[in-house]
Amino acid sequence: MTDRTVAFVAGADPQPGTGILHPFPTVDLPHLDPFVFLDTGEPRVLGDAEIYVGPHAHRGVQPVSLLFRGRIEHRDSLGNHRTVHSGGIQWLVAGSGALHEEVLGGDEDGVFHMAQLWVNVPAARKLDPPAHHALPAEAVPELTDLGPGSRLRLYAGTVGSSTGPAPLPVPVLVAHVVLAAGGRVTVPVPTGWTAAATVVGGAVEAGDRQLGPGDTPVFADDGSTVTVGGGVGGGELLLMCGQPIGEPIVMGGGYVMNTSEEITAAFADERAGRLGSLAASR
């Protein structure tokens, strides 16, 4: 097996006041087909405080919340009201349209750490019926045999005999990797797939690059594996690999469609109440 080389590294500075890292979409990294949006950050101590994200709409995309530590309480216009805790995953199949809100909180030590990754949907499925799913930590396989000093939690996709629990709309591999100092993880990735990773804590090494939080190495399609190492003190990363959809991407608000006309129609449908309704809980 041959490791993929690092094609380039995109950076993301923490947003003032929140520490949120927004690696893409940006001018330097418009998208990582089939992934179109990522918000993450380093672990934050919230204590007893909460972060409230009020009702907002989505269409044509699947926002996936990967909860490394903490708590997410979800409500939506479909009637779902669910809470996931450290290590769990929740995702909204926005389909033809739905509204949701989230209340974010810390774990038993008051620490909060997550990533929200939007996975694009092929045009033929963008207006599927909406749905919401949530799974606890124990549903997520944890692999420790992919390299010394590594721990990989597999949210979606297949590695060896293990398969992640999230049936996303296109073939993907999404995982949270924790690396000890000097540790290493090697993950097989099919030819033709997009492959990238975002550092979500500590220090990571990819190729000859020393990377910190927000750095996103994008790998060339020149090998069958991706290898990443732990830097000084170790680090954490979100691994994102997937089969590109190869269709036009137009984004507006929480909508991800193929044309600007479809985005305009989505906003019109939201104003007319055709995406449902959801009263704010706060």
Side-chain angles (χ1 to χ4, degrees):
M1 294 189 293
T2 303
D3 275 337
R4 292 188 179 206
T5 58
V6 176
F8 66 95
V9 176
D13 294 325
Q15 295 180 5
T18 67
I20 291 173
L21 297 166
H22 180 65
F24 62 90
T26 64
V27 172
D28 294 333
L29 191 59
H31 57 76
L32 283 167
D33 189 9
F35 311 107
V36 295
F37 177 99
L38 175 62
D39 265 355
T40 186
E42 293 189 89
R44 297 174 59 187
V45 178
L46 291 181
D48 295 329
E50 294 181 330
I51 300 171
Y52 177 60
V53 183
H56 58 284
H58 291 283
R59 172 182 278 181
V61 69
Q62 294 195 10
V64 181
S65 296
L66 309 166
L67 186 59
F68 310 140
R69 293 183 66 177
R71 166 178 53 84
I72 301 176
E73 181 183 358
H74 165 99
R75 291 176 61 247
D76 61 42
S77 56
L78 309 173
N80 299 299
H81 187 181
R82 299 184 174 113
T83 300
V84 294
H85 298 273
S86 299
I89 176 175
Q90 61 123 10
W91 70 102
L92 178 68
V93 180
S96 59
L99 285 76
H100 72 150
E101 70 164 22
E102 294 168 311
V103 181
L104 316 176
D107 62 8
E108 61 274 10
D109 297 317
V111 177
F112 177 74
H113 192 203
M114 70 166 285
Q116 185 170 91
L117 177 67
W118 294 11
V119 183
N120 196 14
V121 178
R125 295 191 54 193
K126 282 192 176 292
L127 298 183
D128 282 358
H132 178 261
H133 305 274
L135 294 168
E138 51 266 30
V140 180
E142 186 167 288
L143 287 65
T144 57
D145 59 352
L146 298 174
S150 72
R151 177 165 53 90
L152 181 148
R153 291 184 56 77
L154 184 61
Y155 287 100
T158 298
V159 177
S161 60
S162 298
T163 298
L168 297 175
V170 290
V172 298
L173 191 163
V174 177
H176 175 219
V177 181
V178 178
L179 294 164
R184 186 180 73 256
V185 67
T186 298
V187 182
V189 180
T191 300
W193 278 30
T194 297
T198 292
V199 182
V200 298
V204 168
E205 299 176 352
D208 60 355
R209 313 286 187 101
Q210 307 294 311
L211 307 175
D215 287 336
T216 299
V218 178
F219 297 91
D221 187 11
D222 59 357
S224 57
T225 57
V226 165
T227 295
V228 182
V232 176
E236 301 180 47
L237 59 93
L238 174 65
L239 180 64
M240 302 162 285
C241 308
Q243 185 178 76
I245 296 172
E247 296 175 348
I249 296 170
V250 181
M251 300 176 64
Y255 307 128
V256 182
M257 304 299 290
N258 301 107
T259 68
S260 57
E261 291 79 10
E262 290 171 328
I263 296 294
T264 300
F267 279 112
D269 286 345
E270 180 183 356
R271 289 192 299 270
R274 288 188 283 269
L275 303 189
S277 62
L278 181 66
S281 65
R282 297 289 192 275

